[in-house]
Amino acid sequence: MGEILNISRKEQIVDRAAKLFKQKGFAATSMRDLAAELGIEAASIYYHFKSKEELLEKVCFDMADKFITNAREVNDIYFNAEEKLRMAIKFHIETITENQNQSSVFLSEWRNLSEPKLKLFRQLRQQYENQFTIILADGEKEDIFDDVDKKFAVLSILSTINFINEWYKVSLIRLCMISV
Amino acid sequence: MGEILNISRKEQIVDRAAKLFKQKGFAATSMRDLAAELGIEAASIYYHFKSKEELLEKVCFDMADKFITNAREVNDIYFNAEEKLRMAIKFHIETITENQNQSSVFLSEWRNLSEPKLKLFRQLRQQYENQFTIILADGEKEDIFDDVDKKFAVLSILSTINFINEWYKVSLIRLCMISV
DNA sequence: CCCATTACCTAACGAATGTTAGACAAATGT
DNA sequence: ACATTTGTCTAACATTCGTTAGGTAATGGG
């Protein structure tokens, strides 16, 4: 089997891993659990990944990359701060709803990472939050936003959006999709 | 040593357990971790509690009890729906900030419970949410609140308040305490 | 003074965990 | 046709896990 199927299989494993990590938590998910989900033996996973933690890293850092790329794109393309904030939130919501399992892992299971990856992850998350801080600061300069505690404001915004993760079910897609 | 010290020791164990469960997660916390935190051997914990899960149950159900008691008290004492909501939120915030470790476990680690306790826990949480739903329904009858999707509204309110858990540090007590 | 209780200890158990080694069949390339 | 790569398997490993059994000081009431 060639490179294409290899990639696809790896992605399938990561996908199922994210599903289980969300469902039971990273620590409570065993490699045998994951293997059973895939219909193979635990040892077989090690042909594709070198450790359980590597699976967690893949999910966490892939999502971090998605979020950061989106936010940077917003800050590059749009000019108006209100428009920027609107788009940043829209992208964030889309990323969450389109990757529910991986998002849950990104939001809750990252603390199971061990150093030095844990530190790196924290930095990336900070970078993402910084993109929002920049937008708020821009808006203040443009006199569209009030002068607020930006660190607090960003955390408020994100935690409010991330709440989606607790009630959003795929079956409701576009039933109550927020129009932006 | 008498009953008083016994209770105190049990409470100390639960307290440290909650701290570790919040820090590392329930599944990632071993009885040996907890014992080390207490300066004793893992086996000694079993003199006070019959299993690791019992510790989780104690934290989860004690907190559930606190939340429900508060909410019922609010619904019993106050008459105006707006006042009720205000007080319910105030009590919720106080309970969270005064029991940060236990609250985190209540909010995130409860899923590590196994049946039938898991089902019972879900029911208690539902009961708590119902108290908020009642308040919103009262307010609607009193024409102070709009007719909204109450289930969604309650989840929104709670998730917004619970966000406190992610930024609140004891060192900031009363520095930015929300006045209600 | 003795006995029961309290709160801990050491030692060990079986089960589950993450992971490795090595074999094997199927597919692929030459 | 043969050799290699790919993806899986079985078997086993060392470690860690939750938990139990049994022992041992210290405490305190009769």
Side-chain angles (χ1 to χ4, degrees), chain B residues 1 9 41 43-44 47-48:
Chain B
M1 299 181 182
R9 186 54 160 165
E41 293 299 313
S44 305
Y47 173 77
H48 304 277

Side-chain angles (χ1 to χ4, degrees), chain B residues 55-83:
Chain B
L55 286 166
L56 180 61
E57 290 167 5
K58 185 92 174 75
V59 176
C60 288
F61 288 104
D62 277 8
M63 288 308 296
D65 194 55
K66 273 199 176 117
F67 282 119
I68 291 178
T69 304
N70 279 347
R72 289 215 174 113
E73 196 179 313
V74 165
N75 261 326
D76 282 352
I77 294 178
Y78 300 91
F79 294 96
N80 178 285
E82 190 191 328
E83 203 179 25

Side-chain angles (χ1 to χ4, degrees), chain A residues 1 6 9 32 40-41 43-44 47-48:
Chain A
M1 298 179 183
N6 180 24
R9 186 53 157 167
R32 286 167 179 85
I40 59 177
E41 294 299 314
S44 304
Y47 175 76
H48 305 277

Side-chain angles (χ1 to χ4, degrees), chain A residues 1-66:
Chain A
M1 298 179 183
E3 182 76 356
I4 291 162
L5 188 53
N6 180 24
I7 286 176
S8 151
R9 186 53 157 167
K10 282 189 83 165
E11 278 173 357
Q12 190 190 357
I13 294 175
V14 172
D15 188 69
R16 297 303 178 116
K19 179 188 163 193
L20 290 186
F21 292 168
K22 172 186 180 166
Q23 219 170 72
K24 322 173 53 171
F26 173 76
T29 303
S30 74
M31 293 299 268
R32 286 167 179 85
D33 288 338
L34 176 55
E37 183 82 15
L38 291 159
I40 59 177
E41 294 299 314
S44 304
I45 300 171
Y46 288 84
Y47 175 76
H48 305 277
F49 296 93
K50 71 175 202 294
S51 71
K52 183 186 174 187
E53 172 135 4
E54 200 192 0
L55 286 166
L56 180 61
E57 289 166 6
K58 185 95 174 76
V59 176
C60 288
F61 289 103
D62 277 8
M63 289 308 296
D65 193 56
K66 273 198 176 119

Side-chain angles (χ1 to χ4, degrees), chain B residues 19-38:
Chain B
K19 179 190 163 191
L20 290 186
F21 292 168
K22 172 185 180 167
Q23 220 170 73
K24 322 174 53 173
F26 173 76
T29 303
S30 74
M31 292 299 267
R32 286 168 178 86
D33 288 337
L34 176 54
E37 183 82 15
L38 291 158

